[in-house]
Amino acid sequence: MAKRSSLSIRIVEGKNLPAKDITGSSDPYCIVKVDNESIIRTATVWKTLCPFWGEEYQVHLPPTFHMVAFYVMDEDALSRDDVIGKVCLTRDTLVTHPKGFSGWAHLTEVDPDEEVQGEIHLRLEVVPGTRACRLRCSVLEARDLAPKDRNGTSDPFVRVRYNGRTQETSIVKKSCYPRWNETFEFELEEGATEALCVEAWDWDLVSRNDFLGKVVFNVQRLWVAQQEEGWFRLQPDQSKSRQKEGNLGSLQLEVRLRDEMVLPSGCYQALVQLLCREVKLGTQGPGQLIPLIEEMTSTECRQEVATNLLKLFLGQGLAKDFLDLLFQLELGRTSEANTLFRSNSLASKSMESFLKVAGMRYLHGVLGPIIDRIFEEKKYVELDPSKVEVKDVGCSGLHRPQTEAEVLEQSAQTLRAHLGELLSALCRSVRACPAVVRATFRQLFQRVRERFPSAEHENVPFIAVTSFLCLRFFSPAIMAPKLFHLRERHADARTSRTLLLLAKAVQNVGNMDTPASRAKEAWMEPLQPTVHQGVTQLKDFITKLVDIEEKEELDLQRALSLQAPPVKEGPLFIHRTKGKSPLLTSFKKLYFSLTTEALSFAKTPSSKKSALIKLANIRAAEKVEEKSFGSSHVMQVIYTDDAGRPQTAYLQCKCVNELNQWLSALRKQVALCWRW
């Protein structure tokens, strides 16, 4: 039995942030820290005081953590990033919100003297003397100090104060893990009430020194103990007035803490077998467990339940059967065709999760080039006359104001081109779509056609497919490409508007261009010919998509069963220790793939894997001390080679989010491997 704590974090948006740039705006991003350790960094949203992030994270934590803090920063290209403010949520606060903290929180001022972290190693002794006892303080070392300089380190020294006297250590340059091994002595009078204060500081040549934290000792207690040694957590300086709030803007957050007791895997086998038996029997069986789960699940946690069930059945090879059972259950209680799969039911949420797991690479192949072009062009696009901004056009010296009609026509041409390109790419992608996705859509198409066989419902099977493929997969990815890993940064305001209009057009095509969808926003009428043509293209695409034979699907499943599917993959920089190893001899960017059996890498995603480390040989995966290689976000993988010799591989990730994701995935897969 093991205890596990996890945080579900959604950083939604900010509003009314103060301007930090001379342009009257800011370039905000968020950093999330747990007990002063950075675990998340959002993308930067440029030139806005009301940024939208919409980023979601799942973080596993030690049950002993105390606080999670959200810092809103302003990115600067030429100087240190400005701190706008922060929101702190203690563990006790999160415990009082069992359904999660959700809402707006005011940003509070960040006092540098309270932003401390790390520990200091001290040895304190009361030493007898000829005339009086002496207090001896040995400053040995410190670890995990806060980085205060632009290079990501500090230049720390220690100041020891007692009874009006102050002594200082030497300065250790560019280190958050300094060693001093210096000793100081003070005269100690019997009955003295003065406290001993040990302060850590970051030395700066030009500006004032930065406070790194302090530890205060009761001398009377030391007198009784005579000697004390250990690591002491650095504390903030709270002598100043408390933080003020209200004029730094607000941050909208959704944070949920979950404390779990994880039992040995054998304890869950009876439930797994019961669920699998019900899915295999389908609606012909007597089981009511799946409908009961849906009925007892609240709207707030239905997505989480759907994701976990889908993972379970994917592992059992029953994902398609599970989704088919959900399709039949929803069709059985639906009487109106136009309401089918429109609610946030277990079927809808499970299908969303399935597409993100099985179809993400397919999505990138179809959408990626179009999204990249929109980001690169950064054209001004607007179809709503009430929102048109008329701008000057023409060559130097011949500028004239562009008319509203010209703006609308140019915008319509741009969107028609993007929509036409997207539909063409989609129609060419039938063979690229994963067989398991095609087979699932085939099952959905057939079930809906059986439920609504009349001629008046001819389009209903097609709309059932597009309700997932277009409305819940492609359109959300177009509107927020960062959240679907299509881009590393959020779009600016102009690009966001283009993406939103394109997503609306895709939704109209997915709705089969119904009169109801046209009536909502009449100003989308200029796209109507392309939308109408797109409906024909989409129906032809779906007809081909669901035309997959059982033999074709089984052949692909057999091929996939011979190789473990990737749990996580992506580019990393690698460095290895000296000695023979299957790894390379210097830092190099390679493409890594983690499966349920091994960690392997190759030069490119498509090239043959050139080396691998079996999960059974991995002994540990840990973060590496900051700046050990002159780089951030480095982890070490300790393993044994085929001859049983210990080896270490150092892998550098591009950001703290990527580092935590790789560590979490590695540790989970290694634990599962050792368990079995």
Side-chain angles (χ1 to χ4, degrees):
M1 183 183 299
K3 288 185 178 180
R4 185 176 69 179
S5 293
S6 62
L7 278 178
S8 298
I9 296 174
R10 184 165 189 256
I11 304 172
V12 186
E13 60 182 320
K15 66 179 180 182
N16 303 326
L17 301 182
K20 291 291 184 178
D21 301 334
I22 58 174
T23 58
S25 187
S26 291
D27 303 314
Y29 66 93
C30 286
I31 290 178
V32 183
K33 293 184 179 182
V34 172
D35 290 344
N36 291 317
E37 180 182 2
S38 297
I39 60 168
I40 292 169
R41 185 203 191 279
T42 69
T44 301
V45 183
W46 303 99
K47 295 181 175 57
T48 180
L49 301 180
C50 295
F52 175 82
W53 291 285
E55 299 189 21
E56 298 181 8
Y57 302 93
Q58 187 77 22
V59 183
H60 296 288
L61 301 168
T64 55
F65 87 96
H66 301 290
M67 178 182 294
V68 55
F70 301 81
Y71 292 78
V72 180
M73 311 288 291
D74 168 56
E75 183 168 330
D76 287 320
L78 302 178
S79 61
R80 181 189 295 181
D81 293 353
D82 298 314
V83 182
I84 295 175
K86 71 175 181 179
V87 172
C88 292
L89 297 174
T90 65
R91 179 182 176 84
D92 292 339
T93 300
L94 294 173
V95 168
T96 60
H97 293 79
K99 292 186 177 181
F101 172 86
S102 179
W104 289 92
H106 289 296
L107 292 170
T108 60
E109 184 179 296
V110 175
D111 184 346
D113 290 348
E114 293 199 7
E115 300 303 305
V116 304
Q117 67 183 58
E119 298 173 303
I120 188 167
H121 187 188
L122 302 171
R123 183 169 58 246
L124 307 170
E125 302 171 89
V126 176
V127 183
T130 55
R131 290 186 299 175
C133 291
R134 300 186 66 80
L135 175 59
R136 180 179 295 166
C137 177
S138 297
V139 182
L140 305 177
E141 57 185 323
R143 61 190 180 194
D144 194 29
L145 298 180
K148 293 292 185 178
D149 299 334
R150 280 188 57 80
N151 59 16
T153 63
S154 290
D155 303 319
F157 69 95
V158 173
R159 183 176 294 159
V160 184
R161 293 190 288 109
Y162 176 70
N163 200 22
R165 287 189 59 203
T166 300
Q167 300 187 62
E168 295 181 353
T169 68
S170 58
I171 299 167
V172 179
K173 295 293 186 67
K174 298 181 181 179
S175 177
C176 293
Y177 294 79
R179 293 190 177 192
W180 293 282
N181 290 320
E182 299 182 30
T183 300
F184 307 98
E185 290 191 356
F186 301 89
E187 289 188 5
L188 186 59
E189 298 178 3
E190 189 170 356
T193 58
E194 182 80 12
L196 173 70
C197 184
V198 181
E199 299 174 342
W201 292 82
D202 165 53
W203 176 83
D204 285 318
L205 177 63
V206 179
S207 59
R208 73 177 182 87
N209 296 334
D210 297 310
F211 180 73
L212 295 176
K214 68 179 182 179
V215 185
V216 179
F217 296 93
N218 184 306
V219 174
Q220 290 297 316
R221 186 169 60 84
L222 282 174
W223 198 301
V224 174
Q226 291 294 299
Q227 182 174 337
E228 186 171 353
E229 180 179 351
W231 286 93
F232 301 93
R233 189 173 187 85
L234 292 168
Q235 302 296 325
D237 181 4
Q238 297 178 326
S239 59
K240 299 181 180 180
S241 58
R242 300 308 301 160
Q243 298 162 327
K244 54 186 177 181
E245 63 177 47
N247 59 349
L248 299 176
S250 303
L251 191 61
Q252 188 180 7
L253 301 167
E254 296 174 10
V255 186
R256 184 183 179 190
L257 171 66
R258 170 170 294 167
D259 291 320
E260 299 172 323
M261 298 296 293
V262 183
L263 303 174
S265 58
C267 298
Y268 302 100
Q269 288 308 306
L271 176 61
V272 172
Q273 292 171 4
L274 185 62
L275 287 167
C276 290
R277 183 165 61 249
E278 179 164 329
V279 167
K280 289 176 182 177
L281 292 173
T283 55
Q284 304 303 316
Q288 293 295 317
L289 189 54
I290 299 295
L292 182 62
I293 290 174
E294 179 169 22
E295 183 179 342
M296 299 299 293
T297 303
S298 64
T299 306
E300 293 83 4
C301 62
R302 190 165 291 148
Q303 181 67 74
E304 187 176 4
V305 171
T307 301
N308 288 329
L309 285 173
L310 180 68
K311 288 180 179 178
L312 169 66
F313 291 116
L314 277 170
Q316 300 293 323
L318 294 171
K320 191 183 73 171
D321 303 270
F322 168 59
L323 292 169
D324 185 40
L325 174 59
L326 294 179
F327 295 154
Q328 294 181 72
L329 291 173
E330 180 145 343
L331 284 165
R333 61 174 178 261
T334 301
S335 56
E336 294 292 331
N338 60 354
T339 64
L340 187 60
F341 301 119
R342 296 293 170 155
S343 64
N344 291 321
S345 63
L346 189 61
S348 298
K349 293 299 184 181
S350 298
M351 192 63 180
E352 279 184 44
S353 297
F354 171 71
L355 288 174
K356 288 180 180 178
V357 171
M360 192 64 79
R361 184 174 291 183
Y362 168 67
L363 176 84
H364 282 217
V366 176
L367 270 186
I370 300 163
I371 296 297
D372 288 343
R373 188 172 297 110
I374 293 173
F375 270 76
E376 290 163 5
E377 291 177 352
K378 293 185 177 181
K379 289 184 178 180
Y380 175 71
V381 174
E382 185 54 74
L383 291 181
D384 187 349
S386 65
K387 296 181 179 179
V388 168
E389 298 177 10
V390 177
K391 297 183 180 296
D392 288 344
V393 296
C395 59
S396 178
L398 297 174
H399 289 285
R400 64 175 180 81
Q402 194 178 25
T403 66
E404 179 181 297
E406 289 174 330
V407 173
L408 294 173
E409 178 56 32
Q410 288 181 9
S411 299
Q413 289 179 5
T414 300
L415 286 170
R416 283 195 291 264
H418 289 322
L419 181 59
E421 182 184 359
L422 173 57
L423 291 168
S424 297
L426 191 63
C427 291
R428 295 192 303 268
S429 70
V430 172
R431 299 295 300 175
C433 186
V436 65
V437 175
R438 293 180 63 187
T440 303
F441 277 131
R442 177 197 63 204
Q443 202 81 343
L444 172 64
F445 191 89
Q446 291 175 350
R447 295 295 185 192
V448 175
R449 175 173 281 177
E450 291 168 3
R451 175 66 180 82
F452 297 100
S454 62
E456 64 176 310
H457 294 136
E458 178 187 0
N459 283 337
V460 174
F462 294 96
I463 293 176
V465 174
T466 61
S467 66
F468 293 116
L469 189 65
C470 294
L471 275 62
R472 293 177 182 263
F473 196 39
F474 274 84
S475 285
I478 294 170
M479 286 190 288
K482 166 71 170 64
L483 305 185
F484 285 75
H485 311 293
L486 285 160
R487 300 288 295 188
E488 290 190 2
R489 296 180 178 271
H490 289 290
D492 57 27
R494 174 177 289 189
T495 305
S496 291
R497 184 60 180 171
T498 304
L499 294 171
L500 177 62
L501 293 172
L502 178 60
K504 286 178 178 291
V506 171
Q507 288 173 353
N508 287 344
V509 176
N511 286 325
M512 297 292 152
D513 191 26
T514 59
S517 64
R518 288 201 300 268
K520 288 181 181 178
E521 294 163 323
W523 43 265
M524 294 284 287
E525 182 64 29
L527 302 184
Q528 200 54 43
T530 309
V531 170
H532 185 71
Q533 180 183 355
V535 171
T536 304
Q537 291 177 279
L538 194 60
K539 290 178 70 173
D540 181 61
F541 163 73
I542 293 172
T543 302
K544 295 176 181 176
L545 187 74
V546 301
D547 184 20
I548 178 173
E549 300 294 333
E550 292 283 351
K551 183 179 182 303
E552 183 181 353
E553 181 193 352
L554 290 173
D555 288 345
L556 185 60
Q557 285 181 348
R558 287 194 195 97
L560 289 175
S561 65
L562 298 177
Q563 56 183 9
V567 175
K568 183 168 178 57
E569 52 188 349
L572 295 171
F573 284 90
I574 183 171
H575 178 79
R576 72 165 179 85
T577 54
K578 294 181 180 179
K580 293 182 179 180
S581 168
L583 301 175
L584 300 185
T585 57
S586 61
F587 266 115
K588 188 172 183 180
K589 186 177 182 180
L590 296 169
Y591 195 87
F592 278 75
S593 178
L594 173 66
T595 69
T596 55
E597 297 176 356
L599 175 66
S600 57
F601 63 80
K603 290 184 178 180
T604 65
S606 57
S607 60
K608 185 179 179 181
K609 300 294 184 294
S610 58
L612 61 86
I613 303 172
K614 295 178 181 177
L615 293 189
N617 293 345
I618 294 179
R619 297 296 176 261
E622 300 291 343
K623 292 182 182 179
V624 175
E625 176 183 330
E626 196 80 3
K627 300 299 177 181
S628 292
F629 294 95
S631 303
S632 305
H633 319 310
V634 177
M635 63 178 172
Q636 60 179 345
V637 180
I638 302 170
Y639 65 101
T640 56
D641 59 19
D642 292 338
R645 294 170 299 198
Q647 303 286 350
T648 303
Y650 295 97
L651 307 177
Q652 182 191 354
C653 305
K654 65 182 179 180
C655 64
V656 66
N657 301 350
E658 194 74 12
L659 173 63
N660 286 315
Q661 289 170 14
W662 273 104
L663 281 172
S664 177
L666 265 171
R667 289 167 177 168
K668 182 177 181 180
Q669 294 307 314
V670 170
L672 289 172
C673 178
W674 278 92
R675 180 183 300 170
W676 296 110

